[in-house]
Structure formats: structure tokens, C-alpha cells
Amino acid sequence: MSRRKQIYEGKAKILFEGPEPGTLVQYFKDDTTAFNAQKKEVLNGKGVLNNRISEHFMINLEKIGIPTHFIKRINMREQLIKKVEIVPLEVICRNVAAGSICKMLGLEEGSDLPRSIIEFCYKKDELGDPLVSEEHIAAFNWATADEVDDMRAMTLRINDFLCGMFAAIGIRLIDFKVEFGRRTDENGDFQLLLADEISPDSCRLWDIETNKKLDKDRFRQDLGGVTEAYEEVAIRLGILKKETTSSAPTLSIVPNGDKSS
Ligand code: TMP
Ligand code: ASP
């Protein structure tokens, strides 16, 4: 691991001071938690997979005009990112009922929602990241009305893009969570950027044919095969290659054009 100065340690990632002002290094751990870290395990290789999968989405989202914090992947576990002030909200987008919305509204898991639904949760582990309204967001000054509009619009755009990308590889995007950050760019202009990560830790992904879960619900629900499911997502995305030439199949990361892995 890097010997750079540590800025922050979260449940699945560590942030270090970056090489240039205004940058950070985001390190992906193998630590896996659920239910506000009441359930905890180290899953070997998960951080490597999430680093690579999140890089893939961030690069492709930038291409369709979503500004992100991502600058480049440095190595198997680290990314160089823009330093932002994280908006203290988790933005969730749901296409199909699963998880907390089933509990809250008495819906059956897997039932279609009338349309994609955006939710805002206040980022506060001690409170279990509660669902909040725009009234709360405005009253407590967590984000401005313009920021809320921008986060909603960007999240819906991300949803459209990811739904298409996943459908092409036989996966249904059930729901996902994103986070945003603020920064002032080199010209002094204010920016709202997609931050954090997008990976099977922060999405629900089901195989289109079989409904097999390919995400962190395998860990939350003790279904087993967590890392194998993340690997399957990476293989289908073309990020990871299964070598079948030897008698024991091995996995290798597909290079993405930079020489730093
Ligand atoms: P939920 O149904 O538990 O509210 O989760 C909705 C989505 O958000 C799901 O894709 C998992 C993701 N999520 C996170 O990324 N972090 C969290 O802490 C929680 C609770 C959910
Ligand atoms: N990320 C949260 C935790 O660790 C919850 C979850 O993903 O289920 O505790």
C-alpha cells in the first residue's frame, strides 16, 4: 500500500493525499460490510475488481458528458481522483423493487416499478443513512435546490446509460447508489461531479435469464460466491479474461490502454 498521507478511511476505501494539489488517491480495500458494518468480511480480490469496474464506468460516463472525479487508474487498487467536498447524500435510483423499498412499501422483490425512482438518503452511518425529503435537504442546507436538480438529472442519465450497458451483457440493473462532490475547477468555476465508486458493491445486478444475483446482496444474504459474482460482471464487461488454455482456468485483467497496471 502507498505511504502517502492518509486523509480518510471508509468501510471499503481509503483516501490518500494526491501527488498534485486538488487530487487524492482512492485505494480499494477487500473489506466488505453490510448493515452499517455489523456484518464484516475480507473478500480477497474484491478491491481489485471494484477498482477496475468503477474505472470502466467512470471513463464511459465521462464520454457521455457526466463529469466525474476520476482522473486515471494508478495500479490494481488505486485511482487518482479530483479532490471534492462530498455532498452528504446518497442518491439511489431504482428500476425494480428490491431491498429497503420492499420493506418500506410492502412490495414484492423483483416487481417492476411504475417508473425509475430517485431517492435521497442522508449520509450518516450512526443513523443508518435515513431516507430524506427535499424539504430536509433544503432546511439543513445539505445541498442547494439547483444541486438537487442536477444530481437527479445526472443520476437518471447514469441510469439510462448503465441500463443499456448492462442489458447488452445480459444483466438487469435493479438499482444503484451514487454520490456527488463539489469542487472549484482551474478556472474558478464551480463543479458538481460524480464521485465515490460504481461497482457491484453499490448496485443490484441480476442475470436477465436466471435472476441470479451478481452483486453485494450475495454477501448481505449469505448466498456465497460473492467475489465469483463480481468476477462474472467484470468478465461480461470485457474487463477480466478467463484463460482456458491451462487445465486450471486463471483470470487476468484486460489492459485498458495505460501501462500502469
Ligand atoms: P437499499 O435497497 O438497501 O436502500 O439499497 C439501494 C441501493 O443502494 C442498492 O443498490 C445498494 C446500494 N447501497 C449502497 O451502495 N450503500 C449502502 O449503504 C446501502 C444501504 C445501499
Ligand atoms: N455499505 C453499508 C455498510 O456497510 C450497507 C450496505 O451496503 O448494505 O454497512
Side-chain angles (χ1 to χ4, degrees):
M1 203 190 295
S2 156
R3 274 177 281 125
R4 284 172 279 235
K5 185 178 165 216
Q6 186 173 315
I7 305 284
Y8 171 82
E9 176 157 11
K11 288 179 292 224
K13 295 185 291 297
I14 305 175
L15 294 177
F16 297 96
E17 212 165 56
E20 311 282 344
T23 66
L24 295 176
V25 172
Q26 177 168 251
Y27 175 95
F28 287 75
K29 300 193 281 186
D30 285 340
D31 297 9
T32 312
T33 65
F35 315 118
N36 277 325
Q38 288 174 50
K39 185 176 163 79
K40 215 169 169 178
E41 224 172 280
V42 175
L43 298 172
N44 285 336
K46 187 207 70 156
V48 172
L49 288 162
N50 280 357
N51 182 19
R52 196 60 188 78
I53 292 171
S54 194
E55 171 198 26
H56 182 76
F57 292 137
M58 294 285 175
I59 287 175
N60 283 288
L61 287 166
E62 280 276 358
K63 285 186 190 159
I64 62 151
I66 301 287
T68 81
H69 73 162
F70 181 83
I71 301 173
K72 66 169 189 167
R73 181 166 57 84
I74 301 169
N75 57 42
M76 296 292 271
R77 286 190 184 268
E78 293 180 326
Q79 306 182 342
L80 184 66
I81 59 170
K82 294 171 186 165
K83 185 175 184 172
V84 295
E85 177 202 359
I86 289 286
V87 177
L89 296 169
E90 299 199 339
V91 187
I92 293 170
C93 180
R94 301 181 187 274
N95 299 307
V96 173
S100 63
I101 198 171
C102 292
K103 236 182 182 170
M104 182 173 73
L105 301 179
L107 302 175
E108 192 182 332
E109 183 183 70
S111 55
D112 279 329
L113 296 170
R115 61 179 173 85
S116 300
I117 294 175
I118 299 287
E119 294 172 354
F120 294 95
C121 295
Y122 179 43
K123 251 175 85 69
K124 198 81 176 167
D125 278 346
E126 307 90 280
L127 303 175
D129 302 334
L131 183 67
V132 290
S133 68
E134 286 179 44
E135 187 71 8
H136 295 119
I137 297 171
F140 292 105
N141 213 15
W142 293 324
T144 66
D146 280 350
E147 285 174 333
V148 169
D149 287 348
D150 287 351
M151 288 190 285
R152 182 185 293 103
M154 279 198 259
T155 305
L156 287 170
R157 191 108 201 279
I158 293 166
N159 185 46
D160 280 346
F161 180 77
L162 291 183
C163 277
M165 190 183 250
F166 279 121
I169 54 169
I171 291 175
R172 195 143 62 116
L173 178 61
I174 304 300
D175 58 33
F176 64 95
K177 182 268 303 181
V178 282
E179 295 183 26
F180 293 90
R182 314 174 172 104
R183 91 192 256 271
T184 307
D185 72 10
E186 304 70 32
N187 306 319
D189 292 328
F190 177 81
Q191 282 186 316
L192 190 66
L193 306 179
L194 174 65
D196 195 54
E197 71 178 299
I198 301 182
S199 73
D201 268 8
S202 57
C203 301
R204 284 198 175 92
L205 306 169
W206 294 2
D207 180 86
I208 282 178
E209 299 288 330
T210 63
N211 282 342
K212 181 182 172 189
K213 293 177 178 172
L214 299 169
D215 57 67
K216 195 168 145 187
D217 269 354
R218 299 203 72 81
F219 174 71
R220 296 188 188 98
Q221 299 170 7
D222 289 321
L223 299 175
V226 186
T227 321
E228 290 78 2
Y230 287 33
E231 275 169 8
E232 173 150 4
V233 172
I235 288 169
R236 291 199 202 182
L237 286 168
I239 290 167
L240 198 65
K241 212 167 61 187
K242 202 171 213 160
E243 309 282 359
T244 47
T245 43
S246 64
S247 52
T250 54
L251 294 168
S252 62
I253 300 273
V254 177
N256 70 337
D258 73 48
K259 298 183 183 67
S260 50
S261 62

